[in-house]
Amino acid sequence: MTRPLFIALVLLLFAAAPAPAATDTDGDGIEDSQDNCLETPNDSQLDSDGDGCGNACDADYDQTGSVDGSDFMILRSMMGRTSGDADFDGSVDLTGDDVVGGTDFIIFRAQMNGTPGPSLVATRDVSACP
Ligand SMILES: [Ca+2]
Ligand SMILES: [Ca+2]
Ligand SMILES: [Ca+2]
Ligand SMILES: [Ca+2]
């Protein structure tokens, strides 16, 4: 085989190789770079407070960058509220089912003393969504 032919063959092989698949760490169908909860499956991408961290990984209701006792007080005040209530705060509804209830509390507890996210959404507010 001549050298130019060999190089042409190698180039052809590289061109035919499939492009590397986009990474989707949590398997929710949203590519990592677009996913507002990188490690939490949330195909709805619901982000009620618009800080760039999806509700599913954002129990930091008061936007301080950490999930702590003050957030718990907010959750407690919203317990049992539904989207039909005038004072309903959608960002407290972590599951996005229009009710603040026990499942939201379980998710909150898992995030307690942590930080919201992580999210890789380029437009996120990094002080509220590190
Ligand atoms: Ca994903
Ligand atoms: Ca996700
Ligand atoms: Ca959010
Ligand atoms: Ca907080």
Side-chain angles (χ1 to χ4, degrees):
M1 190 185 299
T2 64
R3 189 174 166 83
L5 184 63
F6 175 75
I7 291 170
L9 268 176
V10 169
L11 287 175
L12 195 69
L13 278 173
F14 271 101
T23 309
D24 177 12
T25 300
D26 59 11
D28 62 2
I30 315 291
E31 187 191 329
D32 281 0
S33 64
Q34 310 291 327
D35 195 336
N36 64 16
C37 287
L38 190 60
E39 297 164 357
T40 311
N42 62 327
D43 58 0
S44 79
Q45 297 287 289
L46 175 68
D47 179 14
S48 297
D49 56 16
D51 63 359
C53 276
N55 284 24
C57 62
D58 187 8
D60 176 26
Y61 311 127
D62 59 3
Q63 312 289 42
T64 59
S66 60
V67 181
D68 50 28
S70 61
D71 300 297
F72 177 70
M73 298 303 281
I74 296 171
L75 173 67
R76 203 173 65 169
S77 73
M78 277 289 136
M79 258 301 160
R81 297 290 200 290
T82 67
S83 57
D85 294 322
D87 61 349
F88 181 73
D89 178 354
S91 66
V92 182
D93 175 18
L94 303 178
T95 56
D97 63 353
D98 296 324
V99 182
V100 177
T103 313
D104 299 296
F105 174 68
I106 290 167
I107 297 170
F108 175 89
R109 204 171 53 178
Q111 295 179 32
M112 182 68 182
N113 296 321
T115 55
S119 165
L120 289 180
V121 175
T123 54
R124 73 190 185 280
D125 172 358
V126 290
S127 65
C129 176

